[in-house]
Amino acid sequence: MSALVPGLALGALTASGCVWYVPALVDLRAGADRPVSRRLAALACLSGWGTAGLAAALLLTGAPLAVAGAGMLACVALRLAAWVRARGEAREDAACWAALDARPDVRHAPHRAVGAIIAVGLTLATATGMALTWVHARGALGAAPVVAAPVALAACTLAAAVVTVRERGGEGVLWLRWTGGGGEGG
């Protein structure tokens, strides 16, 4: 196979990569409005797609692809630099928020307790259902308890979750609040 087919395929792929390199151009054009890590990632994206376009041109002309290898190394180096810089920016942001002592109000964030209640309760209901199914298969138990016990456990679990939300003042938990006043979703 000649280098014409892979060159055309790589050219078409590079043209279709505009969904990545056009936003990267926008990030670079925004300049200081974007964090440094995002601009480095945009440079990495542009160098990668630029290298792919260069490789397509080199394949079409029959020139050696050694330059494309250098472009890919530059792309990888820029992406790693962006990753390191993003981690540093995240640490800096965390330090700023810690300095502000911005902790969420625990009364209005019952999602962890509710998640734990639901996870434990539904796991217990599933285990009970499996155990009762095993006992039913041996002929020692009727079909009604096999269905009723796990359903009752699941209902108790959901009731405990609703009670926990109400006790902790969970007005912000929209997925458990059907009625109520204030806030979004009213």
Side-chain angles (χ1 to χ4, degrees), residues 47-48 51 54 58 65-78:
S47 68
T51 301
L54 177 66
L58 291 175
L65 293 175
V67 177
M72 290 314 295
L73 286 176
C75 174
V76 169
L78 284 168

Side-chain angles (χ1 to χ4, degrees), residues 10 19 45 80 86:
L10 191 55
V19 296
C45 177
L80 286 174

